[in-house]
Amino acid sequence: MKWWQRSVFYQVYPRSFQDSDGDGVGDLTGVISRLDHLVDIGVGAMWLSPFFPSPMVDFGYDVSDYCNIDPVFGSLSDFDRLIAEAHFRDLKVVIDFVPNHTSDQHPWFVASKSSKEESNVYRDYYVWHDGRVNRQGKRVPPNNWVSHFSGSMWTWDEGRQQYYLHQYAVEQPDLNYRNPLVHAEMERVLEFWLERGVDGFRLDAVSFLYEVENLEQDEELINPSAKGEYHRYLHTLTKSLSETHEVIGKWRELLDRYEHKLQKDLQVHKRFMVAEVSGGVELQMPYYRSGAHMPFNFQLTGMNRNRDSMWLAKSIAQWLDSMPDGCTPNWVLGSHDIKRIASKMGSTFINVMNMLLLLLPGVPTTYYGEEIGMVDTDVTYEETQDPQGRGAGKENYKIFSRDPCRSPMQWTEGTHSGFSTAGKTWIPVQGNFRTCNVETQLRNPNSHLNIYKQLTTLRRKKVFAEGNFDFASVNEEILSFIRFHDGERTSLVVANFGKSPKTENFTSLNNPRRMYYPKTGVMTFRTDGSPEAEISLSDVVLTPGEGVVIEFHPLR
Ligand code: GLC
Ligand code: MG
């Protein structure tokens, strides 16, 4: 197995992880000082959200220089130190690659908008259009496309006298992948970071690289009353076009070339690529084929208190059944774009969701703070910084703002929870930090943190690391599955996602594989931290939010 197939991934949002210089914003030196935490909780790889120079309109996802570090986060030498310190601890480092758009402050865009003359090499680095003249004789964009952050996908540039396309904010112009020069530039960016020793990339918003060639076509309005303009349209003209997959294939070849190059120096260094694509399994699966090691699987992030175990089982099965042969599944619970688990499900379900994440087959990704069960913080409309929140307007900002899940990591019960010594942090620390923090939870053996650690230890067992998967029983309350492997004891994982206690009798279950449950097994894990004990398989009692793992030798 490759390193990425064995690792628990952990997303660090650098602005919010650890501030080392007291400006209220996290930085790379801060991340370095917290690497031991990652090791302690059993993480093998981290994914770092952007730290490149940026005007921070979309908090780093608007890059103005792909090959440098924003001063707020530190310097290239801090980055080199981060790589060295991480590798020294056997931690891999995956960085964010933002290929779809740059910042409007990027020198390429500044040059591109300066003139449409042929002599301008940067002329076609972005997607430009004259627009059309409507019936009232007014100049308007060439089509009805709306951006992710609301408003037209087109913005008029006075200087160049043309519209430019932006799938995200006005300040995030889309690069033009119909221009070979753009491909060459972006390949150089990948090489720059590969040379610096990164272990892989997360391809940001990669399904939006291409738009249809004929820009004078409207997208279909499918849901006129949807909150958030973007969700009203079907995005067949602007998302996951087949050309996108060719580019991903080329990037994968580049990564593989690097692997061989370094192997010659006897340094085996496998590089990794994960695609960020949303929109459902059908849209996501092709990314496994075109070159990504995996597309992030967001199925579990759809779980909330109105959904039951059957819903969960269905979405788990959907991923596993749709995946091309030989590929590796993966699971995500949260990210810097999604409401936190504790806020969606209530704190009762934190441990059991982490149990699912860590014991399903494949690669888990934990968003920072999920190991201690952090809760979204409250941010008023006036304080809202996220362009997606502001774009939604005062009435709907709470549905769309991503500020609440980006609050600072909670380390201690001290000021700003040990995140920063500043007077004010860039987003307020969530008010529950005196009880919900790493230091406090380390002292309590049954805390979310220690339960998380038990789970990352458990998943190292062969049966979880490499074993097969099958559902055991599923009903509205109970979701259960087995993990099994030749020559190993089978593990049965049982969880209650319902609204009332439930007793499950496994000894009476029919099993398609003709594997029968014995009367008793050994409980190796329980979400309340109970020690290992013998347990009867004919009456497994679980209250909502409880989960257990039971190990046994199946009867044949
Ligand atoms: C991705 C990022 C998100 C960002 C967007 C535009 O979806 O996860 O945070 O706003 O891309 O770069
Ligand atoms: Mg694009």
Side-chain angles (χ1 to χ4, degrees):
M1 272 166 92
K2 311 266 168 41
W3 64 264
W4 59 269
Q5 291 172 305
R6 269 185 282 109
S7 302
V8 173
F9 278 68
Y10 186 90
Q11 181 190 355
V12 170
Y13 193 68
R15 296 186 72 81
S16 301
F17 204 54
Q18 179 66 58
D19 174 18
S20 73
D21 59 359
D23 62 357
V25 181
D27 46 56
L28 297 184
T29 300
V31 175
I32 297 171
S33 72
R34 295 298 188 182
L35 289 176
D36 288 333
H37 171 69
L38 273 57
V39 176
D40 184 46
I41 63 172
V43 162
M46 71 171 141
W47 148 35
L48 276 168
S49 284
F51 43 71
F52 317 104
S54 163
M56 303 291 168
V57 169
D58 192 16
F59 297 103
Y61 285 97
D62 47 325
V63 180
S64 54
D65 177 357
Y66 284 102
C67 299
N68 215 330
I69 310 287
D70 194 283
V72 83
F73 296 123
S75 63
L76 278 170
S77 65
D78 293 332
F79 183 80
D80 292 342
R81 214 154 40 85
L82 170 63
I83 291 276
E85 294 278 347
H87 287 172
F88 173 72
R89 290 167 175 79
D90 213 12
L91 281 169
K92 301 286 195 253
V93 182
V94 170
I95 65 169
D96 231 306
F97 178 54
V98 189
N100 179 62
H101 43 265
T102 69
S103 158
D104 62 347
Q105 305 299 307
H106 196 293
W108 300 339
F109 188 70
V110 174
S112 188
K113 70 176 188 176
S114 72
S115 131
K116 50 185 167 206
E117 295 305 311
E118 214 150 310
S119 59
N120 180 7
V121 234
Y122 295 97
R123 182 177 69 145
D124 293 328
Y125 267 45
Y126 295 83
V127 185
W128 293 98
H129 196 280
D130 291 334
R132 52 188 177 85
V133 178
N134 72 6
R135 280 197 219 109
Q136 287 80 41
K138 201 180 150 222
R139 191 188 292 280
V140 290
N143 56 43
N144 71 346
W145 303 353
V146 293
S147 80
H148 283 84
F149 298 155
S150 296
S152 174
M153 219 184 257
W154 297 94
T155 290
W156 179 253
D157 181 71
E158 274 303 326
R160 183 160 156 156
Q161 289 287 302
Q162 274 188 316
Y163 287 100
Y164 65 88
L165 177 114
H166 50 91
Q167 295 230 24
Y168 287 86
V170 174
E171 298 86 348
Q172 289 169 298
D174 269 48
L175 284 163
N176 175 16
Y177 277 84
R178 303 204 182 271
N179 179 354
L181 295 177
V182 167
H183 291 237
E185 295 276 11
M186 296 316 272
E187 283 165 23
R188 275 197 287 278
V189 173
L190 290 172
E191 286 169 0
F192 176 87
W193 293 105
L194 288 167
E195 300 279 355
R196 282 204 119 81
V198 306
D199 300 288
F201 301 94
R202 173 230 187 221
L203 311 181
D204 175 75
V206 74
S207 57
F208 305 108
L209 292 189
Y210 283 89
E211 297 75 32
V212 282
E213 245 181 313
N214 172 7
L215 297 168
E216 281 140 41
Q217 300 174 69
D218 283 344
E219 284 197 309
E220 192 185 333
L221 185 67
I222 44 162
N223 191 357
S225 57
K227 290 188 174 134
E229 251 181 298
Y230 188 79
H231 306 286
R232 297 178 192 160
Y233 295 90
L234 193 63
H235 301 284
T236 45
L237 307 175
T238 54
K239 190 170 181 184
S240 272
L241 304 194
S242 60
E243 293 94 325
T244 308
H245 293 288
E246 287 163 29
V247 180
I248 292 181
K250 279 207 317 193
W251 289 341
R252 174 61 180 273
E253 277 169 29
L254 189 152
L255 259 63
D256 289 350
R257 266 203 310 278
Y258 259 81
E259 195 169 293
H260 294 139
K261 189 164 152 190
L262 285 166
Q263 264 171 7
K264 271 197 228 124
D265 314 331
L266 291 176
Q267 252 183 298
V268 182
H269 204 147
K270 303 264 178 201
R271 311 304 180 101
F272 165 79
M273 215 163 88
V274 54
E276 185 226 5
V277 195
S278 62
V281 168
E282 264 143 60
L283 225 72
Q284 291 167 299
M285 288 303 149
Y287 289 81
Y288 268 124
R289 296 194 190 90
S290 57
H293 292 87
M294 59 194 212
F296 270 136
N297 170 4
F298 298 112
Q299 297 286 102
L300 298 181
T301 67
M303 185 59 179
N304 60 46
R305 278 314 279 137
N306 301 319
R307 292 182 160 156
D308 60 11
S309 285
M310 312 245 262
W311 182 90
L312 259 180
K314 211 173 112 195
S315 37
I316 293 168
Q318 203 193 6
W319 190 272
L320 295 176
D321 296 345
S322 321
M323 218 176 45
D325 283 348
C327 289
T328 308
N330 78 92
W331 313 94
V332 173
L333 284 191
S335 80
H336 65 296
D337 296 328
I338 308 170
K339 225 178 177 28
R340 285 185 180 275
I341 277 295
S343 302
K344 276 190 294 216
M345 305 275 296
S347 56
T348 324
F349 290 87
I350 293 167
N351 292 346
V352 81
M353 286 303 285
N354 279 331
M355 179 181 91
L356 259 196
L357 174 78
L358 293 163
L359 300 184
L360 282 168
V363 182
T365 302
T366 288
Y367 180 50
Y368 80 91
E370 298 286 41
E371 73 277 29
I372 54 170
M374 270 172 64
V375 172
D376 283 358
T377 200
D378 274 328
V379 182
T380 64
Y381 181 65
E382 287 65 34
E383 287 169 341
T384 294
Q385 315 206 26
D386 177 22
Q388 182 166 286
R390 284 190 279 112
K394 194 160 183 169
E395 255 135 74
N396 291 323
Y397 86 97
K398 281 210 170 165
I399 308 174
F400 293 103
S401 174
R402 301 168 296 178
D403 290 338
C405 68
R406 297 175 177 177
S407 67
M409 177 66 184
Q410 293 164 208
W411 297 105
T412 70
E413 35 182 85
T415 313
H416 298 315
S417 204
F419 162 72
S420 174
T421 55
K424 199 171 173 229
T425 57
W426 82 283
I427 286 183
V429 175
Q430 153 61 258
N432 70 0
F433 75 92
R434 287 190 206 280
T435 49
C436 179
N437 66 69
V438 172
E439 201 175 68
T440 305
Q441 291 199 10
L442 278 174
R443 287 196 297 263
N444 168 6
N446 303 331
S447 63
H448 300 306
L449 183 60
N450 280 314
I451 297 296
Y452 186 94
K453 284 168 69 169
Q454 279 185 32
L455 287 164
T456 55
T457 305
L458 190 60
R459 81 186 301 282
R460 294 203 183 101
K461 287 194 179 188
K462 198 169 196 163
V463 75
F464 288 112
E466 297 171 33
N468 294 310
F469 168 93
D470 222 336
F471 284 108
S473 71
V474 178
N475 52 53
E476 274 165 23
E477 284 85 15
I478 298 294
L479 171 77
S480 63
F481 57 84
I482 50 169
R483 300 294 312 272
F484 55 101
H485 191 285
D486 274 348
E488 302 290 317
R489 280 150 58 101
T490 294
S491 276
L492 169 69
V493 180
V494 194
N496 183 339
F497 287 100
K499 297 198 163 63
S500 52
K502 179 87 182 175
T503 304
E504 197 71 5
N505 179 356
F506 287 93
T507 57
S508 66
L509 287 182
N510 269 331
N511 192 298
R513 284 177 197 269
R514 268 179 294 175
M515 179 217 68
Y516 298 100
Y517 296 90
K519 284 208 171 58
T520 61
V522 178
M523 182 178 79
T524 53
F525 170 84
R526 193 172 182 108
T527 42
D528 64 3
S530 306
E532 199 167 292
E534 196 179 83
I535 183 170
S536 157
L537 277 161
S538 56
D539 49 359
V540 178
V541 189
L542 295 176
T543 60
E546 271 195 312
V548 285
V549 179
I550 305 168
E551 224 179 73
F552 56 85
H553 280 298
L555 306 171
R556 300 250 169 213

